[in-house]
Amino acid sequence: MTSYLDFEKPIAALESRIIELRETADEGSLDIESEITKLQSKSSKMLRDTYTRLTPWQKTQVARHPERPHFKDFVRGLFDEFIPLGGDRNFGDDQAILGGFAKLGDRRLVVIGHEKGDDTESRLRHNFGMGKPEGYRKAIRLMDLADRFALPVVTLVDTSGAFPGVSAEERGQAEAIARSTEKCLSLGVPMIAVVVGEGGSGGAVALAAAERVLMLEHAVYSVISPEGCASILWRTGDKADVAADAMQITAQNLAKLGVIDRIIEEPIGGAHRDSNLAIATLGKAIAEELDELVQLERSALRSARRDKFLKIGSL
């Protein structure tokens, strides 16, 4: 059963009515298909109209939807022969950041991403996608392997930010994030980063400093969460919607600013309504970008990456 967001309540009411009518039709001989068809048409139109005019705050809610596909879903739906690699060879294995070798079609690559989990147990195990220093050092190790074996790197970004706990700070959180960002920028192989849900702060940038940065249509990408911004500016998280408007965190805003390179269309109603279609669409986009990037020499890739980030903010 679909979990509805607050702004989807009218849609939820219509779809609930459709379910009730179908149950009524199944129980008796009443022919109410025409009424169901009308309601379905109305519901589809309402869903389409709602999702074509989402506010930045509503997009943030969609990006956080609990049924939205996560790293494991993309790996299962897109990549073959996924071989997970664990540990940073220093402290431990962070479950918030996962990665390993995989194949996309006939092309071998390294895939890395944040995993939030999809129920209480898995969310706790994956720390809600908030990476710790050992997670970013694991990402560095995987990128080193990709560089050594001339394999493209694909990262799937979905985090509210790096873990802010004392233990992470003690183990060098800032340094790990900085070195992961540095590693992205220095790679001599193609790198594609995709913001599939939330792209929050340095925890996202550490896996997203690529020459091609893609975003799903209803994903968000920002230096701080809207609630965090509101708590700093107005001393309350209640103005998160106002902060989201001002921060220009949507894919559409960021494409105009040159922060991202491509927006990947989602199914009507968001990726959570048709995960298979969303995953397939993303896979096609990644393949297209890789077809172009694999033609470039190592020096050209580094130059393209450097030029991309130096241009941001100069418009």
Side-chain angles (χ1 to χ4, degrees):
M1 182 176 292
T2 302
S3 296
Y4 294 95
L5 301 169
D6 287 343
F7 65 85
E8 294 179 310
K9 286 181 179 178
I11 300 168
L14 269 179
E15 294 187 349
S16 294
R17 179 59 178 159
I18 291 169
I19 292 172
E20 290 173 2
L21 286 174
R22 285 199 180 282
E23 291 174 349
T24 301
D26 292 340
E27 292 171 0
S29 59
L30 291 175
D31 182 10
I32 54 177
E33 281 302 318
S34 60
E35 180 64 21
I36 291 175
T37 301
K38 289 178 183 177
L39 287 176
Q40 285 178 325
S41 177
K42 184 177 180 181
S43 174
S44 297
K45 184 179 185 302
M46 187 179 293
L47 184 67
R48 185 179 297 105
D49 291 345
T50 298
Y51 271 78
T52 54
R53 56 171 186 266
L54 291 179
T55 67
W57 176 238
Q58 288 171 336
K59 281 184 178 286
T60 303
Q61 293 174 279
V62 175
R64 296 171 175 172
H65 197 287
E67 295 168 13
R68 194 172 178 86
H70 295 142
F71 179 81
K72 287 186 175 179
D73 301 308
F74 286 108
V75 167
R76 187 162 48 245
L78 281 184
F79 302 104
D80 298 318
E81 300 179 20
F82 177 63
I83 303 174
L85 298 177
D88 66 344
R89 301 298 187 266
N90 184 38
F91 179 82
D93 186 30
D94 180 24
Q95 288 296 301
I97 297 177
L98 305 177
F101 296 115
K103 286 181 68 178
L104 179 63
D106 294 329
R107 180 174 287 121
R108 296 190 180 277
L109 47 76
V110 168
V111 59
I112 308 168
H114 301 94
E115 173 58 49
K116 284 185 171 182
D118 50 19
D119 56 29
T120 301
E121 182 182 352
S122 62
R123 285 170 189 148
L124 289 171
R125 183 170 68 253
H126 295 293
N127 200 33
F128 300 88
M130 295 186 292
K132 298 177 181 178
E134 50 271 24
Y136 294 104
R137 291 179 178 127
K138 173 165 63 175
I140 293 169
R141 187 169 74 85
L142 293 177
M143 285 187 274
D144 276 333
L145 286 172
D147 216 4
R148 183 184 308 168
F149 296 112
L151 299 174
V153 174
V154 173
T155 61
L156 303 176
V157 177
D158 189 13
T159 181
S160 58
F163 182 60
V166 173
S167 60
E169 296 298 332
E170 289 175 341
R171 296 197 295 277
Q173 183 73 290
E175 182 264 351
I177 289 172
R179 292 200 180 276
S180 183
T181 306
E182 178 188 37
K183 178 54 65 177
C184 291
L185 293 170
S186 66
L187 283 174
V189 294
M191 181 175 182
I192 297 172
V194 188
V195 183
V196 296
E198 282 187 280
S201 192
V205 174
L207 298 185
E211 66 271 19
R212 290 286 192 279
V213 181
L214 286 52
M215 281 183 73
L216 291 189
E217 182 181 359
H218 302 308
V220 293
Y221 190 21
S222 61
V223 71
I224 191 173
S225 69
E227 298 94 327
C229 178
S231 67
I232 292 171
L233 294 180
W234 295 289
R235 299 288 187 265
T236 175
D238 294 339
K239 291 194 175 184
D241 56 337
V242 180
D245 285 336
M247 292 165 64
Q248 302 193 50
I249 62 178
T250 69
Q252 294 72 23
N253 293 144
L254 296 169
K256 291 177 182 177
L257 293 170
V259 175
I260 68 166
D261 304 291
R262 180 171 176 176
I263 299 172
I264 310 302
E265 185 177 350
E266 296 188 28
I268 295 172
H272 58 281
R273 280 185 171 261
D274 192 342
S275 295
N276 292 333
L277 177 57
I279 291 169
T281 303
L282 177 58
K284 182 179 178 181
I286 292 173
E288 291 172 355
E289 296 292 343
L290 283 175
D291 286 342
E292 180 181 339
L293 292 175
V294 293
Q295 308 299 323
L296 301 178
E297 299 291 334
R298 296 175 72 90
S299 59
L301 288 167
R302 292 193 182 102
S303 295
R305 214 171 287 139
R306 174 184 172 86
D307 292 343
K308 171 185 172 59
F309 285 95
L310 288 177
K311 286 178 182 177
I312 294 176
S314 62
L315 301 176

